[in-house]
Amino acid sequence: AFAERRVKKRYLALLAGPPLDPPEGCINLPLRNMIAGRSDMLDAVTNYRALNFTPSAVPGEGLTTVSFWPLTGRTHQIRRHAARGLGLPILGESRYSTGEDELSEDMSKG
């Protein structure tokens, strides 16, 4: 059902940093296959919408509640797209929090 896009999944996440600009959109960013021994890039598409921004004491910073709905089902897709596609990792996420991992290596190889 997911492959035929009949399943609609939505996820909520908190992102720490400045408000999202634009506040909604589509992240179309290929991701490396996470299966051991594979290095091919897979299409990955995630729609998002900022629902709320709560400013912090630091000017221009705060927490944004974001609704994500993936159109493809890749491993860690939402975490990877938040960190790389939006430049803001999901609050509490450590694996992709820097926005740098295997994608940076693959993209530099061409």
Side-chain angles (χ1 to χ4, degrees):
F2 200 83
E4 291 88 31
R5 303 219 168 121
R6 291 183 290 152
V7 174
K8 306 279 188 212
K9 293 184 178 186
R10 291 189 185 243
Y11 300 86
L12 292 177
L14 284 176
L15 307 183
L20 291 181
D21 184 26
E24 65 181 273
C26 179
I27 303 163
N28 188 346
L29 182 66
L31 300 172
R32 186 176 63 82
N33 194 329
M34 299 292 286
I35 297 173
R38 307 261 320 252
S39 63
D40 50 320
M41 299 298 284
L42 303 171
D43 289 337
V45 181
T46 305
N47 289 324
Y48 71 92
R49 178 178 301 132
L51 303 176
N52 183 51
F53 178 74
T54 305
S56 72
V58 178
E61 298 286 318
L63 293 177
T64 304
T65 304
V66 181
S67 176
F68 289 99
W69 55 104
L71 302 182
T72 53
R74 307 297 178 217
T75 303
H76 304 166
Q77 177 174 323
I78 294 170
R79 295 192 283 166
R80 295 160 83 187
H81 274 177
R84 276 182 228 89
L86 298 177
L88 298 172
I90 294 174
L91 191 64
E93 163 53 36
S94 60
R95 183 170 184 173
Y96 302 105
S97 63
T98 64
E100 296 178 18
D101 67 4
E102 79 289 337
L103 181 66
S104 302
E105 290 178 19
D106 287 342
M107 296 305 276
S108 67
K109 291 178 186 173

